[in-house]
């Protein structure tokens, strides 16, 4: 869009083809597209990594990305978790997807379901813990050691994780705002 100054002066931007204000707008738009592309690319690579690594190292051949994420989440702060809490932490709105995955993991013996009155809590089993321990060894060997190729060290990982969580929050907020258009 043209602002009043560009429209009245008729000055062109750096490319010579568009008003100066549009060049800045395109630069911002291109930067956002680069971030979107980077996130999408990282998301797909992460999903491929999780599924492939779980299949080959943890001997969990039919695991989906959600299954693997649930195992990791149940192991983290190892107390029993309710379905709603798991969905909240993993930012998954479709509880049916998580419920189905939990049933599969319980059936395979990697997750334990315990009923407490009307509530069911889920925790990782000894078998699930063993599978994840083997996965952790490969995870560290293949990914943490590769950080040096990016000229990063382990000390930046907490900060990187914090930025990723913040970006997730920004995208969630934008999704909620976009639903009102």
């Amino acid at each position: 869009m043209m602002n009043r100054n560009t429209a009245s002066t008729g000055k062109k931007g750096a490319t010579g083809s568009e008003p100066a204000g549009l060049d800045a707008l395109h630069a911002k738009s291109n930067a956002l597209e680069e971030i979107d592309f980077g996130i999408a690319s990282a998301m797909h690579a992460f999903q491929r990594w999780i599924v492939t690594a779980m299949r080959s190292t943890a001997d969990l051949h039919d695991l989906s990305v959600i299954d693997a994420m649930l195992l990791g989440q149940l192991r983290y702060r190892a107390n029993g978790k309710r379905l709603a809490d798991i969905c909240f932490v993993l930012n998954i709105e479709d509880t049916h997807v998580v419920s189905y995955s939990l049933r599969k993991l319980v059936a395979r013996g990697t997750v334990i379901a315990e009923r407490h009155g009307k509530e069911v809590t889920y925790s990782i089993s000894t078998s699930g813990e063993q599978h994840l321990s083997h996965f952790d060894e490969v995870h560290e060997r293949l990914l943490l050691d590769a950080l040096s190729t990016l000229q990063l060290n382990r000390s930046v990982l907490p900060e990187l994780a914090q930025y990723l969580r913040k970006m997730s929050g920004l995208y969630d907020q934008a999704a909620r705002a976009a639903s009102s258009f």
Side-chain angles (χ1 to χ4, degrees), residues 69-70 73 77 81-96 98-99 102 165 168-169 172 176:
M69 289 174 60
L70 287 174
Q73 181 56 38
R77 296 186 180 144
K81 295 177 176 68
R82 297 176 309 135
L83 174 64
D85 297 332
I86 296 167
C87 290
F88 179 76
V89 168
L90 292 177
N91 199 16
I92 300 173
E93 292 179 8
D94 191 353
T95 58
H96 300 291
V98 176
S99 180
L102 286 168
R165 284 190 300 274
S168 174
D172 272 343
R176 285 190 296 276

Side-chain angles (χ1 to χ4, degrees), residues 27-161:
K28 288 179 185 177
S29 178
N30 287 340
L32 286 174
E33 287 174 7
E34 287 295 321
I35 290 172
D36 292 346
F37 178 73
I39 290 172
S41 181
M43 180 183 68
H44 291 295
F46 173 76
Q47 290 176 348
R48 187 171 51 251
W49 151 253
I50 287 293
V51 170
T52 304
M54 284 289 187
R55 287 177 182 162
S56 61
T57 63
D59 195 32
L60 298 172
H61 298 288
D62 59 342
L63 237 58
S64 70
V65 173
I66 297 291
D67 298 340
M69 289 174 60
L70 287 174
L71 274 177
Q73 181 56 38
L74 290 173
R75 178 193 210 191
Y76 185 66
R77 296 186 180 144
N79 54 348
K81 295 177 176 68
R82 297 176 309 135
L83 174 64
D85 297 332
I86 296 167
C87 290
F88 179 76
V89 168
L90 292 177
N91 199 16
I92 300 173
E93 292 179 8
D94 191 353
T95 58
H96 300 291
V97 170
V98 176
S99 180
Y100 174 71
S101 184
L102 286 168
R103 282 195 311 272
K104 286 189 335 187
L105 293 169
V106 167
R108 99 170 313 135
T110 54
V111 168
I112 300 167
E114 295 181 78
R115 186 167 289 282
H116 305 281
K118 291 184 178 183
E119 268 188 356
V120 178
T121 59
Y122 299 91
S123 56
I124 194 162
S125 69
T126 304
S127 169
E129 181 64 47
Q130 289 170 346
H131 286 298
L132 287 181
S133 292
H134 187 64
F135 170 80
D136 287 346
E137 294 169 15
V138 174
H139 192 227
E140 284 207 24
R141 189 175 72 232
L142 295 178
L143 290 177
L144 286 181
D145 294 348
L147 283 175
S148 62
T149 63
L150 300 175
Q151 299 173 351
L152 298 173
N153 61 43
R154 292 177 187 211
S155 65
V156 302
L157 292 180
E159 186 178 355
L160 179 59

